[in-house]
Amino acid sequence: MIEVKNLSFAYSTEKVLDNISTVFGPGRIYGLLGANGVGKSTMFKLLCGLLTTKQGTIEIDGCSPAGRKPSFLSKIFYVPEDFEGPDMSIRNYAGGVSQFYPNYDNALFGRLLSEFEIDANRKFTSLSLGQRKRAILALALSLKTDYLFLDEPTNGLDIPSKAEFRKMVAAAMDEQRTIIISTHQVRDVENLLDHIMILDKRAVLLDRSVSEIQSEYTFDITSNVPEGALYVEPGLGGCCSISRNTTGEESRINIELLFNYINSIK
Amino acid sequence: MNDIFDFGRFGKLFVYECRNYLPRYIKGLVVFAGFLVAAWMLSMSIGGVMSDRSGYIGVLYNFAIFLSPYFIYKHINDRKRGYSYAMIPASTLEKLLSMAIVSFIVVPVAVYAALTLTDVVLYALSSIGLGRFTGIILYNPFEVFIEDFGAPVGNVLLATFATISTAVMFNSIFRKSKIIKTVLFNMTAGFLLSLLAITLVQLTSQEFWENMALRVEQFFRAYTYEEVIALYNTLATLGHLLVICVTLAITYFRIKKVNY
């Protein structure tokens, strides 16, 4: 379990996270959403111990990430937004990295690479951004770490790869695992998420499970503005709206709409 | 799991580093061997015999091993690419030790082997004399470095390690333009220390220096030449050990604490 308490962080004079507290539990896929510069990548770096907290604490299974202890590092894996990769073949890189992760599944890695249509003998430097992303995602999922942090994982992926990615992440989930996905392309991960967290520069605007959101709000597309709507946006099929859920029926969450609504009332 | 040092994990890290980083450096070795060939060809084209190649090889050897940390571990503190090094599940001590073994032993041996091999090939392909380097170095690889100083091999080794560990430290401190910054830092430090020394000399009375000269003279009279050299070597050894310990300690904390 990841416990973040009163976390604040600033680069030089610019404060990006201010007094944030939250918990990331096991067996769930979290969506970390927010405008550019609110600190999503910073949050990942803090969770991995790549940055040191200025105020507040982070504990992952009772361990502080900043210590970068081997026992802690073997439980996590982080895929940054712009993964460049070393000047070596995917097979050699994976062979080297995977020996530090006790749950690595080589057969799964081979299968994921083949589903992503990536040749393991190719060098990272000879691949496009999308191909590099697919290769590192295949490795990330095969390492079977307890915590997986994906920063803009679908950025650079083509449409078939995005569908493959969703399928693979869903298949990779188990009761022990926590996956946190940060993305602006919310439609790519809409059906994957169990929990949505919307960050602002100074606060967590929303930190709720998908089922909580569904029981509180109704998402609808109507030809006219519905009565009592909390937020409305014009869409292709009519008016996209958010209303209070008074019927108890669950509707499919429109994350983009939810994001805009939450930001409009902050 | 032992989070400070685990022999098995260290072995994996060492092999991982050799496999991941050294191929990059081997390309560099080919370039350095090319320099030797170029020097030989230049020497032949201007009518030289190049029977004494130790100078060329010594310079190339030093350049290759002292610059190696900047190439092999270039990205360890890079804000974008360094995260992959930081996140390898190994302890800081294991990372430092692996870095030290690669920089102190693996690279010098590889450079030495590449240059010797090139030299032997050049010798075999040409009519030049065997020269000093290849003939001597096969028996005593350090003679080429020590004969001018009369220093024991251990001291020469320590001096080499101290220089390499300084390069390792500066590589872990500077994020960009590492070599230029290292040179500038050392030049600035040298300039400031010289300035300090000059200022101290000017501030000190002439009487003090006359007394000092007298004491030095008495010192040299009291001891034999061999004893003075032995004392110098002991002090040099201690100095080199101090430099190695301090630079490696700074590198350790830098690896442990660097933010990305």
Side-chain angles (χ1 to χ4, degrees), chain A residues 50 52 68 71 82-83 88, chain B residues 3 20 80 83 258-260:
Chain A
L50 295 171
T52 315
R68 294 186 204 152
S71 55
D82 44 3
F83 174 75
M88 62 193 309
Chain B
D3 279 325
N20 284 19
K80 260 191 171 179
Y83 84 94
V258 65
N259 279 344
Y260 294 89

Side-chain angles (χ1 to χ4, degrees), chain B residues 4 6 15-16 20 28 42 45-46 60 66-67 74 89 92 94-95 100 121 131 207 209 211 215 218 226 231 234 256:
Chain B
I4 296 170
D6 179 272
V15 172
Y16 172 80
N20 284 19
L42 185 70
S45 68
I46 58 172
L60 285 173
F66 298 146
L67 294 180
K74 184 181 176 183
T92 309
E94 288 157 359
K95 286 177 182 174
V121 170
E207 193 184 347
W209 291 111
N211 278 338
R215 282 180 191 173
Q218 284 169 350
E226 285 74 20
L231 180 66
T234 307
K256 194 170 178 63

Side-chain angles (χ1 to χ4, degrees), chain B residues 9 30 45 51 55 60 68 87 97 100-101 129 132 155 175 190 193-194 201 205 222 225 231 236 239 243 252 259:
Chain B
R9 194 172 57 219
V30 174
S45 68
S51 58
L60 285 173
S68 68
M87 291 198 64
L97 205 57
I101 292 176
R132 194 174 59 164
N155 247 358
R175 289 188 196 265
L193 284 174
S194 305
V201 167
S205 66
Y225 175 76
L231 180 66
V243 169
Y252 176 89
N259 279 344

